[in-house]
Amino acid sequence: MLSRRDFLQVAAATTVLTGAGGGLARAAALQALSQRDLLQFEALGQVTLLHFGDIHAHLTPLYYREPSINIGAGGAAGLPPHLTGDHLLQAFKIAPGTPEAYAFTCSEFEALARGYGKLGGLDRIATLVKAIRAERPHQTLLLDSGDTWQGTYVSLQERGADMVRAMNELGVDAMTAHWDFTYGTERVKELVAQLKFPFLCGNVQDSTWGNWAFDGSKIFERGGVRVAVIGQAFPYTPIANPAWLIPGWTFGIHERRVQEQADQARAAGADIVVLLSHDGFDVDRKLAARVKGVDVILTGHTHDAIPQAVRVGRTLLIASGSHGKFLARLDLEVKDHAVSDYRFRLIPVFSDAIAPDPAMAALVAGIRRPYQAELGRVLARTETMLYRRGNFNGTFDDLICDALLAERNAEIALSPGFRWGPTLLAGQEITLEDLYEQTAITYPAAYRQSMTGAELKAAMEDIADNLFNPDPYYQQGGDMVRVGGISYAIDVAKPMGQRISELTLARNGTLVDPAKSYVVAGWASVRQGTQGPPVFDVVRAYLERQKSVSIPPRQLVRVSGADPRGIAACG
Amino acid sequence: MPDSDPHIPATTRRQFVLATGGGLLAAALAGLFPTAAAADATDVEKWLAAFSPAKPTPGKITIGAPDIAENGNVVPITLTVDSPMTAQSYVKGIAMAAEGNPLPAVTVIELSPANAKAEVQFRMRLAKTQTVTAVALMSDNTLWSATKTIKVTIGGCGG
């Protein structure tokens, strides 16, 4: 099974790890990383659900560092997914240094990444899906929680058509959506028409008459069981992303509608009900406790990779990670119209251990071919690891903020707290493709405007409440806005308007004056008519001038009031 | 979307109520806020006391509204009261207040058994994130209330 490249990687990882103790066991674990082991699963019951979401248009393998800071607000404090690094390892009894430790956490990330290599790749996922379908013929449903069509250079050029082709080839059975809507109303309709499977968004209405705009659910028969799948699009799409791109559609959580759809599905003969959701994990945890008769929620949006199913009453919640890093397998035994037993595994898609599926590999190569020269264009090299995911600034965000400050001649930079965007290791080249994987959106204007200190604080308070409101229904999704040129303190436990303090200018250490105006540069404004050059052009110009960047983690944000299990020291 | 009275568009219901004899109460209540000064929860309590001096009990009325408004200028609201709406037992009126608006008296809607169903829909403007209050006055003169926080956010950053 081991190729030469694998062997070299194993050798390199062993060298790194033996220094930390337990080296032999870790080396053995590395040797055990085979396709067969990743597919190892004792089948159970009549139905297998396969699930992924938040793939963000990634067709090829990548590094993605899970967050070191993911703080749980209110009742979610200290519960999965708000366990990071070693806290997660302990809670799920995962040994440090193992493939699972690397896949699920940021612990020792950089060293382990060099050993275990990249994860994901749609050709590898296709191999796993085909193998499981062969093992469980006519018993398997493949479901995608959305955020599928956006996130790369190619998907931006193709306006999502690349991902529709790839998902049709993979044989997805149903999807729901969020970022997918950012191509605009007309394009969404075109892409939905190209899908060979239903686009389920039960919570989207036309805003004039209140009619439901899409199919909300579909009943599938698998292994003699009638499985109803209800789709739930991201409830705050027109708030978190530009409403002007999708005029005429209104979203929302609509508990009563979910209940009605579940009841109707049961009345129509469904044995079990699955909610295919882009709500975010904490929203779904609350929803699960308030809606009856939903057996499984396949969650998405918040990018959480939770190694086990989470139970809320009679509902199982599955969180399958992002960027194609994982494929979730949930086997269900169904008796008397209810789930009587289940078995679950979140399979990390180790790209070096899984043979690519030839058909999908050819499709992916064909999709990328017209863009190959642009994708591989080297802009600079990084001397330090660049990552984004986490509640506050990642180093890739710091780089973008540096570019905004320099290229737009601003005092303060703001960069959105998106959860998507892969990781680059120290010493890697930064290609045009890498840059777009952090910035590829349909409203990329990098604005430059004057803001008073009071306005800045109000904006930051607003965004902080969207992340740390103790009631998840008031959380809008996304991590905290990233900042450049300033530092601040945040008490996440305080109410809205009182969390942010000590806003300080980095260049001279003085406090931001509420009455004074500052020049602020940023991007991804949801306002129509925002002026400025596209952010990818701004950062590209900066990188080409710098040639090499070095961005060690910065201590820009001092956090208090947080449950400590959501904060980890990581590699 | 169900509506209590399909013949009267929700947006004009308040004008309709104000134009009829039954609207005297509403007109009087609206007069409590002559100027656009910043209101607070106490102002709302005073206004509701003019609607009915009884102390409202939480229950019977529900506020259907988004947790986070897509557009603060037109927030869709559905108020539903648990009532049989018969001649013996019905909802006399519903009042809605928004404590964070410069003019917190949003609307007073008078009902009768002829409405058959105690549910009204309208859209209201919210100046900022705030708690809204709805009160139902029943035919036995009991008063029932509900509150809900509705966020009006600048948006962005979701993902």
Side-chain angles (χ1 to χ4, degrees):
Chain A
M1 192 65 227
L2 283 180
S3 67
R4 183 173 157 277
R5 178 165 173 250
D6 295 336
F7 176 76
L8 288 173
Q9 290 198 329
V10 169
T14 311
T15 310
V16 171
L17 293 168
T18 41
L24 282 176
R26 290 179 191 183
L30 282 162
Q31 301 282 1
L33 204 60
S34 72
Q35 182 171 318
R36 180 185 295 187
D37 289 317
L38 292 170
L39 282 164
Q40 181 68 41
F41 195 104
E42 199 185 327
L44 175 89
Q46 309 98 306
V47 184
T48 293
L49 301 182
L50 297 180
H51 175 239
F52 64 87
D54 298 285
I55 201 163
H56 283 286
H58 288 284
L59 297 169
T60 54
L62 47 77
Y63 298 113
Y64 181 80
R65 178 189 184 271
E66 298 296 332
S68 51
I69 304 188
N70 184 9
I71 298 163
L79 296 179
H82 302 288
L83 301 169
T84 55
D86 292 350
H87 304 295
L88 186 144
L89 295 182
Q90 285 154 19
F92 292 100
K93 299 185 171 57
I94 297 170
T98 56
E100 289 74 20
Y102 165 58
F104 287 109
T105 72
C106 60
S107 294
E108 303 176 86
F109 182 82
E110 211 168 355
L112 295 177
R114 291 183 196 284
Y116 293 122
K118 295 181 176 181
L119 282 98
L122 213 60
D123 49 5
R124 274 71 163 191
I125 291 175
T127 297
L128 298 180
V129 168
K130 280 185 179 173
I132 296 166
R133 278 190 173 137
E135 180 201 337
R136 304 272 282 174
H138 314 296
Q139 291 172 281
T140 303
L141 263 183
L142 175 60
L143 301 168
D144 171 8
S145 282
D147 274 4
T148 311
W149 302 343
Q150 172 277 341
T152 64
Y153 180 85
V154 174
S155 68
L156 191 63
Q157 309 307 316
E158 295 272 323
R159 296 192 300 142
D162 54 330
M163 294 309 294
V164 169
R165 286 171 63 199
M167 291 301 147
N168 281 340
E169 168 70 23
L170 190 63
V172 169
D173 288 303
M175 73 176 289
T176 190
H178 166 205
W179 273 93
D180 320 275
F181 283 106
T182 60
Y183 291 109
T185 305
E186 290 313 308
R187 185 58 173 167
V188 168
K189 287 177 180 170
E190 287 170 15
L191 293 176
V192 169
Q194 293 170 22
L195 288 176
K196 291 181 181 167
F197 52 86
F199 183 81
L200 301 178
C201 298
N203 59 330
V204 182
Q205 291 165 283
D206 97 63
S207 47
T208 308
W209 302 106
N211 298 324
W212 300 106
F214 299 93
D215 289 340
S217 66
K218 184 176 175 178
I219 298 179
F220 300 86
E221 184 156 345
R222 291 292 187 278
V225 175
R226 288 166 69 82
V227 182
V229 178
I230 300 170
Q232 171 90 350
F234 179 51
Y236 296 127
T237 302
I239 303 167
N241 306 92
W244 58 266
L245 286 168
I246 43 168
W249 282 334
T250 176
F251 295 60
I253 294 177
H254 304 305
E255 280 175 354
R256 216 162 62 176
R257 163 78 170 161
V258 176
Q259 187 66 66
E260 280 168 11
Q261 290 183 101
D263 294 345
Q264 283 164 9
R266 297 266 179 194
D271 295 300
I272 59 168
V273 174
V274 174
L275 184 67
L276 180 63
S277 165
H278 205 94
D279 279 337
F281 194 85
D282 291 336
V283 171
D284 277 330
R285 177 159 36 209
K286 178 174 174 181
L287 186 78
R290 294 165 63 92
V291 173
K292 288 190 176 61
V294 174
D295 298 283
V296 177
I297 303 184
L298 302 172
T299 74
H301 181 56
T302 36
H303 290 197
D304 311 300
I306 305 181
Q308 294 169 13
V310 174
R311 265 199 112 105
V312 176
R314 297 175 60 87
T315 307
L316 292 171
L317 273 71
I318 303 300
S320 307
S322 64
H323 293 74
K325 267 183 82 172
F326 301 94
L327 179 69
R329 174 173 177 176
L330 178 66
D331 278 20
L332 299 171
E333 180 190 80
V334 179
K335 273 184 198 157
D336 302 328
H337 316 292
V339 174
S340 51
D341 199 4
Y342 74 93
R343 190 164 291 141
F344 176 69
R345 185 175 181 193
L346 187 50
I347 307 168
V349 183
F350 282 98
S351 63
D352 290 338
I354 301 167
D357 172 70
M360 185 62 85
L363 180 73
V364 169
I367 286 170
R368 291 171 59 83
R369 194 165 297 124
Y371 306 103
Q372 209 65 55
E374 280 299 291
L375 293 173
R377 191 183 295 276
V378 176
L379 307 178
R381 173 190 151 93
T382 181
E383 305 303 328
T384 52
M385 179 169 62
L386 298 177
Y387 66 93
R388 172 175 284 159
R389 182 71 225 280
N391 286 162
F392 305 100
N393 280 45
T395 49
F396 228 129
D397 306 302
D398 291 333
L399 169 62
I400 292 169
C401 286
D402 287 353
L404 288 167
L405 291 173
E407 301 294 317
R408 303 291 282 148
N409 192 23
E411 297 171 276
I412 294 168
L414 299 176
S415 190
F418 297 145
R419 288 185 168 93
W420 47 266
T423 302
L424 294 179
L425 305 184
Q428 277 193 273
E429 288 167 335
I430 306 172
T431 63
L432 190 82
E433 179 169 33
D434 297 323
L435 170 59
Y436 273 74
E437 286 175 350
Q438 309 292 327
T439 55
I441 64 172
T442 54
Y443 48 104
Y447 61 83
R448 182 177 187 276
Q449 67 176 58
S450 172
M451 273 177 102
T452 65
E455 287 168 343
L456 177 69
K457 180 177 184 292
M460 290 174 66
E461 289 282 4
D462 193 88
I463 297 163
D465 194 66
N466 286 330
L467 181 58
F468 297 118
N469 191 300
D471 182 343
Y473 281 14
Y474 291 101
Q475 294 169 8
Q476 183 210 92
D479 283 311
M480 186 62 190
V481 65
R482 280 62 166 120
V483 295
I486 51 171
S487 62
Y488 66 96
I490 180 167
D491 184 340
V492 300
K494 287 265 170 61
M496 183 169 169
Q498 298 171 32
R499 291 190 179 95
I500 309 285
S501 63
E502 296 171 40
L503 268 172
T504 306
L505 285 173
R507 73 179 135 83
N508 57 16
T510 59
L511 287 175
V512 170
D513 182 344
K516 202 176 159 233
S517 283
Y518 299 91
V519 178
V520 179
W523 61 289
S525 168
V526 296
R527 215 168 280 173
Q528 190 166 16
T530 299
Q531 300 293 311
V535 65
F536 20 79
D537 291 355
V538 172
V539 182
R540 176 181 180 165
Y542 178 79
L543 285 172
E544 285 179 330
R545 197 164 312 121
Q546 296 291 314
K547 295 190 175 61
S548 167
V549 294
S550 174
I551 305 178
R554 296 173 185 169
Q555 307 300 323
L556 297 174
V557 187
R558 200 163 54 75
V559 181
S560 61
D563 185 281
R565 289 162 290 185
I567 301 176
C570 280
Chain B
M1 281 195 150
D3 198 324
S4 60
D5 187 342
H7 304 296
I8 306 167
T11 47
T12 65
R13 192 187 310 278
R14 179 159 180 254
Q15 289 122 335
F16 172 79
V17 169
L18 286 168
T20 63
L24 287 175
L25 175 63
L29 287 169
L32 283 179
F33 293 100
T35 56
D40 60 23
T42 324
D43 294 329
V44 169
E45 271 177 36
K46 276 189 215 154
W47 180 65
L48 291 173
F51 179 58
S52 168
K55 184 112 181 118
T57 310
K60 295 215 183 202
I61 183 164
T62 53
I63 303 173
D67 300 293
I68 307 179
E70 288 180 6
N71 179 351
N73 290 321
V74 281
V75 182
I77 304 287
T78 303
L79 301 178
T80 311
V81 189
D82 181 12
S83 164
M85 294 304 272
T86 59
Q88 288 73 41
S89 174
Y90 62 96
V91 181
K92 278 164 57 174
I94 297 172
M96 179 107 208
E99 66 181 43
N101 279 3
L103 292 168
V106 175
T107 188
V108 174
I109 298 160
E110 301 194 3
L111 303 179
S112 77
N115 290 96
K117 188 178 175 191
E119 181 170 289
V120 295
Q121 294 188 343
F122 53 92
R123 288 169 190 227
M124 69 180 186
R125 189 171 184 173
L126 291 180
K128 58 177 184 180
T129 295
Q130 58 183 287
T131 301
V132 297
T133 303
V135 172
L137 178 62
M138 315 300 265
S139 53
D140 63 0
N141 285 325
T142 56
L143 208 57
W144 300 86
S145 70
T147 59
K148 181 177 174 65
T149 300
I150 301 175
K151 262 173 82 161
V152 179
T153 171
I154 54 170
C157 280

